[in-house]
Amino acid sequence: MILFWTRGYAGTSLKDIEAALDMRPGSIYAAFGSKEKLFRSALTLYAERSRTALSETLSEAASPLEGLADHVRKLGRALAAPTQTKACMLMKTMLESSDNERVLRDAAEDMMRQTEAAFRDAFQAARDAGQIPADRDPVRLASRLQSEVLGLRAYAQRSDAPGRIEDLSEDIARDLEALATCFR
Amino acid sequence: MILFWTRGYAGTSLKDIEAALDMRPGSIYAAFGSKEKLFRSALTLYAERSRTALSETLSEAASPLEGLADHVRKLGRALAAPTQTKACMLMKTMLESSDNERVLRDAAEDMMRQTEAAFRDAFQAARDAGQIPADRDPVRLASRLQSEVLGLRAYAQRSDAPGRIEDLSEDIARDLEALATCFR
DNA sequence: TATATGCTTGAGCGATCGTTCAAGTAAAGC
DNA sequence: GCTTTACTTGAACGATCGCTCAAGCATATA
């Protein structure tokens, strides 16, 4: 999965996959069917893990809004560590897929919408709990947060990012919390 | 340029370029040297145009901060229109480039830093003019804005984005202006 | 031990990649 | 009209792409 994540769909050759899985082409095709199917399962795995991480952070937090802020701060800490790739795999897939790979694009979009729906539910819960003003639209807040996270992760890909990422994620988290404080 | 922008470096084949320029391979190589050099000049052209657009918007605005807010709103309007590609070409290049294309990655990063420097100068000017609080760091604000713009443009790539983009850019622009209003 | 079964192997398929270069074409100078 | 010069052409190169399949291997069953 990490291979596809870092190099993308078209950028990963079967040679790379053979080496990573220590399998020969025949076995790979017997097990996964095609490069595209293998990529899609990698994409699904990525999305599931992301969703799990988010829901765990949300459930551990004292409130939905703090949960979202925690999520952003955790992300910032993760992105400050040196890893192969930082940017969101769904975003990378969406950006690299052309028309003849529309299936992948659509799949990535769908999964991204699921994440955004989780954000929306959290904002909705925060509003129901009176933590944020009633005139705030959870859908709009969710797309804003989605966009901020995409931006943060894309920015993190820059080689000079490590020193700025924690400030960035802290700013985003503070803005989330400010939704509550401006209401008191 | 648009071809490279939409499909990326590796995703654009010489066949595509031949068709787009109505030139045969020999002429292309005589004129540009290599696919990589052609891509780099496309990247440079893109960055120059972006920079020009930004500086024009800034110079037309009543104040640096309003200039930045205008820039974001203009971007939102542009992204709401149906175009081939929305996401920033520098970001796409940064994300798709692997280690064997490090030259492209570095070039894209450099150009992105120039944009960010322009943001920083505008924030600095706003602070010097007393428009934003003195304890605000222009560098930090600039990286935040850079990240927000990257996020906005990546989000705009989604097929269901058109309806949300203007809200998103409006939210970002308001947050910029709030740097001033919270100071009054 | 002989046979059947399921999995792995890697040579090789046709297609496409970026790139080159001998040959062809067109305009300029004499 | 002939030569020179500058530019264009497209066939073809080696490399690599995703993928296939006859052959080989190892284990289970008889």
Side-chain angles (χ1 to χ4, degrees):
Chain A
M1 183 190 78
I2 292 174
L3 199 59
F4 271 133
W5 185 2
T6 53
R7 305 205 207 196
Y9 175 65
T12 307
S13 76
L14 269 199
K15 277 262 163 71
D16 299 328
I17 301 173
E18 286 174 43
L21 300 180
D22 192 27
M23 287 171 86
R24 257 39 62 195
S27 306
I28 295 177
Y29 277 81
F32 304 108
S34 70
K35 187 190 172 190
E36 194 201 286
K37 284 184 185 170
L38 180 55
F39 182 82
R40 288 181 64 167
S41 57
L43 203 65
T44 306
L45 178 63
Y46 173 88
E48 280 170 0
R49 285 193 185 172
S50 308
R51 230 175 300 146
T52 306
L54 172 60
S55 65
E56 278 178 4
T57 305
L58 284 176
S59 65
E60 286 167 5
S63 77
L65 201 59
E66 284 173 60
L68 291 173
D70 283 352
H71 177 68
V72 171
R73 288 199 177 93
K74 269 189 192 171
L75 197 59
R77 259 174 275 132
L79 293 174
T83 51
Q84 282 280 7
T85 246
K86 315 284 181 71
C88 171
M89 188 182 181
L90 304 180
M91 177 179 71
K92 289 186 73 169
T93 302
M94 223 179 62
L95 291 182
E96 85 155 336
S97 304
S98 53
D99 289 335
N100 46 337
E101 293 153 350
R102 178 157 285 276
V103 199
L104 295 182
R105 218 190 103 110
D106 291 344
E109 282 198 24
D110 273 344
M111 298 179 196
M112 194 180 285
R113 271 188 283 273
Q114 287 185 35
T115 305
E116 198 169 319
F119 287 163
R120 181 204 56 205
D121 291 344
F123 280 120
Q124 181 72 56
R127 202 178 70 168
D128 291 346
Q131 203 180 7
I132 60 176
D135 63 346
R136 286 295 201 148
D137 177 14
V139 172
R140 187 168 178 168
L141 288 169
S143 64
R144 177 86 201 276
L145 180 55
Q146 177 74 277
S147 151
E148 298 231 58
V149 169
L150 292 180
L152 175 68
R153 302 190 71 147
Y155 194 100
Q157 192 86 351
R158 250 172 54 179
S159 57
D160 60 342
R164 306 152 188 257
I165 281 303
E166 279 182 284
D167 279 355
L168 254 177
S169 60
E170 183 59 31
D171 283 346
I172 297 172
R174 288 242 174 90
D175 276 1
L176 283 172
E177 290 162 349
L179 289 171
T181 56
C182 75
F183 188 44
R184 280 186 199 130
Chain B
M1 182 191 77
I2 292 174
L3 199 61
F4 271 134
W5 185 3
T6 54
R7 305 205 208 198
Y9 175 63
T12 305
S13 75
L14 266 208
K15 276 261 164 71
D16 299 328
I17 300 173
E18 286 173 42
L21 300 180
D22 191 30
M23 289 171 85
R24 259 38 63 193
S27 305
I28 296 177
Y29 276 80
F32 305 107
S34 70
K35 188 189 171 190
E36 194 200 286
K37 283 184 186 168
L38 180 56
F39 182 82
R40 287 181 64 169
S41 58
L43 203 65
T44 306
L45 178 63
Y46 173 88
E48 279 169 1
R49 285 194 185 173
S50 309
R51 228 173 302 145
T52 306
L54 172 61
S55 66
E56 278 178 6
T57 305
L58 284 175
S59 64
E60 286 166 6
S63 77
L65 200 59
E66 284 173 60
L68 291 173
D70 283 352
H71 177 67
V72 170
R73 287 199 178 93
K74 268 191 195 172
L75 197 59
R77 258 173 277 133
L79 293 175
T83 52
Q84 282 281 6
T85 250
K86 315 285 181 73
C88 170
M89 188 181 180
L90 303 180
M91 177 177 71
K92 289 185 73 169
T93 303
M94 223 180 62
L95 292 182
E96 86 156 339
S97 304
S98 53
D99 289 336
N100 44 338
E101 294 153 349
R102 178 156 286 276
V103 197
L104 295 182
R105 218 191 103 110
D106 291 345
E109 283 198 24
D110 272 345
M111 299 179 196
M112 193 181 287
R113 269 188 284 273
Q114 287 182 35
T115 305
E116 198 170 318
F119 287 162
R120 181 206 55 207
D121 291 344
F123 279 121
Q124 179 73 56
R127 201 178 72 170
D128 290 346
Q131 203 181 7
I132 60 176
D135 64 346
R136 288 292 202 150
D137 178 13
V139 172
R140 186 166 178 169
L141 288 170
S143 65
R144 177 82 201 279
L145 181 56
Q146 177 75 277
S147 150
E148 298 230 57
V149 169
L150 292 180
L152 175 69
R153 302 191 71 147
Y155 194 100
Q157 192 86 352
R158 251 172 52 178
S159 56
D160 62 340
R164 307 153 187 258
I165 281 302
E166 278 180 284
D167 279 355
L168 254 176
S169 61
E170 183 59 31
D171 283 347
I172 297 172
R174 288 244 174 89
D175 276 2
L176 282 172
E177 290 162 348
L179 290 171
T181 56
C182 76
F183 187 46
R184 278 188 199 130

